[in-house]
Every structure is written in C-alpha cells, then in structure tokens.
Amino acid sequence: MSRPRVFVTRIIPEEGLARVRAACDADVWDGPLPPSYETLVERTRECDGLLSLLTDRVDAALMDACPRLRVISNFAVGFNNIDIAAATERGLPVGNTPGVLTDATADMAFCLLIAAARQLVAAERSIRDGEWRTWEPMGFIGQDLVGATLGILGMGRVGAALAARCHHGFGMRVLYTDPLQNADVERDLGAERVAVERLLAESDFVSLHANLDDATRGMIDAAALAAMKPNAVLVNTARGPLVDQAALLHALRSGEIFAAGLDVTDPEPMAADDPLLAEPRCIVAPHIASATVRTRGAMAEIAADNLLAGLDGRPLRHSVNPEVAPRTR
Ligand code: GLV
C-alpha cells in the first residue's frame, strides 16, 4: 500500500517531524512565513493528512477541496483556527496538543504578570534610551504581589497552574469563573468560583485562560475594564480576540487599570505602529507562551501521534471532536 500523503505547514521540532517523515510522503512547508490560504488548499488537495498550525485557517471550503483528507492535526492546544463543526460534519477527526504546554504557558502568564506589575519593560527601556539618571524615589513604582487577589477567567489546566504558582508562591487569594466547577483548585488553593462582576471588582490581577469562541470573543470590553480596580493588571496568554484592544488602550491611558501583559493580540502580529505598543504600561510578547525546548518538542510528538493515528484509522491521542470515528482508506 502506498504511503499516506500529508502536508505539514511549517517546520516543527524533530521529535514530531522525523516520525511524520518516516511514516508518510510528507510535503513540509519550509518558508519563514505560513503558507497563504490558497497555497494551503493547493498543497493539501491530494493529501490524506494535514498537520496545521494556529496560523492556518482550516475551514469548510478547504475540507471540501481536499476529499482525501482523513485527519487534521493541529500543532497547538487551541483550535479556533479550525472549523470544528465543519470537520465533525465531514467525519474528520481533529487533534490538538493539550497538557504538555500547561507549565510553560503558566510560566509566561506569571512572567507577564510580574513584569507588568513592576513596569519592568518600560524601566529597562529608560536605561537603553539614556533616560535613567539616578535612583528614583518616585520612579517606576509598581504593584505588590504578596497577598493580592488573582482572578482567573477560565479555570482549565493553564489557569489552575497559574493559580497554584500565585497561591503557593505569593499567598494570593484566587477567584475564578468557568462554566464548570473546578473542585481541585477549590480544595487545593481555596479558590472561589464567583460571578464575573465580583471577580473583576475584587481582583488585583486578572488572567485570561478561556477558549476563544462566540461566547468569549471580546469578553474584556470597555465595561469589563471599567469594572476592574485601578491597580489591576490584565494578563492574556489565551487568544487576542478575547480583549477589545481599543478599550484596553483607553483603560490604560485613563488609568482605569494599571497595566497589561499580552502574549496574544488581534491581529498577530500587531502593526508596529499600534498605539498599544507605545503604552509604557503595556507589555506585548509575540505569542511565545509555549516556546520552550521541552514543550515544543512534546507538542510536536503529540501532533505527529495524532496525525499518524488518524491516518491509521485509530483514535487520536488527543482529539477535539472524539465523537468522530477515525476513517480508514
Ligand atoms: C498556543 O497558543 C496554543 O494554542 O498551543
């Protein structure tokens, strides 16, 4: 039997890529930027499997243009780049890479939290710009962490890992919102599930960990920002469109909140002249929360496993739509 044909939309770590190459006739996009949508469709058209990234739009039209496709494996835990309903309707299993990036992402959320709270980036820039002249009794005064209240919007794996760091390391009280109760964080961290209004009103740090969907898009809007404390720091390591960035700019400029740390923006990349980048209290990172050697290697391994399982007609290691039974040729 001929080897399955797959399109891999970027170079990923060898832990996964080598396995895909060993088992498949693999077309690997090696450009410095993702393929365009048109190229993605063209290169996937004759393929049995697609290993995609969060930068690839995988929609119903693509699925219809690629009739041989039997599996989509996304190299990410998030899957908002894929039309899951369309994939399910067409009997296409979709894989993702949960679990292995929990710690790296929680670490980055904490990194943004403390850096934004202490104005680290603006302070460092003042040295580079030759503006720092002497020790300042009133300069770059930030916010304390110990004993603060942390509000987690979306208490999944990453939210819980950040909450554990903040509770055990800094004695923070933890509030959270989530459609589901999380008994583990309530027991282990004394976390309290509350209404979003209370979380916004009481939290010194608000960190976003929700999936992006129609219900969560723009959840941090002008009203939410106005409801936050003036000392509050907003952290987003989930997806950019959760935040209304124009409203965030206004909230930072008017002092409605103290600072923000964003690993994700809308769009990505943000334009170099985006006014948020000129805001001294806004830290922006280029979506690097999972970017550690071990994490990216583990993500590649799972993405390869998912792809190969789908091609073999076996259940995926991690499926977003497990109700879809894998197909064989
Ligand atoms: C990164 O954002 C991911 O979803 O893995």
Side-chain angles (χ1 to χ4, degrees):
M1 200 165 74
S2 61
R3 282 149 53 96
R5 294 173 68 163
V6 300
F7 184 42
V8 180
T9 67
R10 295 296 288 286
I11 302 276
I12 61 168
E14 270 306 295
E15 286 91 325
L17 199 50
R19 282 152 80 158
V20 173
R21 282 193 158 122
C24 307
D25 183 358
D27 175 10
V28 181
W29 182 258
D30 62 0
L33 292 175
S36 67
Y37 176 75
E38 290 68 30
T39 304
L40 176 64
V41 173
E42 213 31 62
R43 301 281 275 260
T44 312
R45 200 179 289 285
E46 301 298 324
C47 284
D48 305 289
L50 171 64
L51 197 154
S52 54
L53 265 63
L54 56 83
T55 39
D56 301 314
R57 175 161 54 93
V58 182
D59 58 11
L62 180 146
M63 296 171 203
D64 290 339
C66 306
R68 292 172 57 113
L69 205 56
R70 299 203 303 278
V71 58
I72 300 164
S73 171
N74 213 35
F75 178 75
V77 65
F79 44 82
N80 58 291
N81 58 305
I82 300 175
D83 186 337
I84 301 298
T88 304
E89 239 170 66
R90 289 159 180 76
L92 271 172
V94 178
N96 70 336
T97 66
V100 292
L101 42 66
T102 300
D103 283 322
T105 306
D107 288 346
M108 178 56 68
F110 185 75
C111 174
L112 290 167
L113 182 156
I114 191 167
R118 300 302 301 269
Q119 304 196 58
L120 180 64
V121 172
E124 196 254 11
R125 198 177 295 143
S126 78
I127 302 174
R128 289 182 192 272
D129 293 348
E131 283 167 7
W132 187 47
R133 288 172 304 170
T134 183
W135 187 85
E136 286 287 351
M138 302 297 284
F140 294 113
I141 293 181
Q143 304 295 335
D144 287 292
L145 272 67
V146 170
T149 295
L150 171 70
I152 299 276
L153 290 165
M155 190 58 99
R157 279 175 287 253
V158 178
L162 176 65
R165 282 156 176 71
C166 292
H167 178 73
H168 294 307
F170 296 83
M172 288 194 202
R173 176 172 78 114
V174 179
L175 304 178
Y176 76 99
T177 63
D178 197 277
L180 301 174
Q181 185 181 7
N182 185 325
D184 291 344
V185 295
E186 294 188 7
R187 183 191 60 237
D188 298 343
L189 312 177
E192 203 182 337
R193 185 166 167 234
V194 297
V196 65
E197 292 77 15
R198 183 169 156 214
L199 182 145
L200 295 172
E202 293 186 19
S203 296
D204 303 299
F205 299 99
V206 173
S207 193
L208 309 184
H209 301 282
N211 283 335
L212 174 63
D213 56 29
D214 289 344
T216 59
R217 187 177 299 275
M219 70 196 291
I220 299 298
D221 57 9
L225 289 156
M228 287 166 65
K229 293 165 78 168
N231 65 293
V233 173
L234 175 71
V235 174
N236 189 6
T237 52
R239 285 293 183 266
L242 296 177
V243 176
D244 175 340
Q245 287 175 186
L248 175 60
L249 181 67
H250 171 79
L252 288 166
R253 286 186 173 163
S254 64
E256 258 172 19
I257 70 168
F258 181 75
L262 312 174
D263 185 49
V264 288
T265 57
D266 182 24
E268 290 178 3
M270 199 174 228
D273 63 355
D274 191 296
L276 271 179
L277 291 173
E279 271 309 297
R281 301 247 180 107
C282 187
I283 298 178
V284 185
H287 203 149
I288 53 171
S290 68
T292 71
V293 174
R294 190 173 66 200
T295 297
R296 287 282 165 88
M299 288 169 66
E301 226 178 282
I302 297 178
D305 281 356
N306 284 339
L307 184 77
L308 300 183
L311 292 170
D312 282 354
R314 289 180 282 114
L316 310 196
R317 190 164 150 193
H318 292 290
S319 176
V320 183
N321 55 353
E323 65 273 29
V324 171
R327 297 185 246 171
T328 46
R329 259 194 283 191

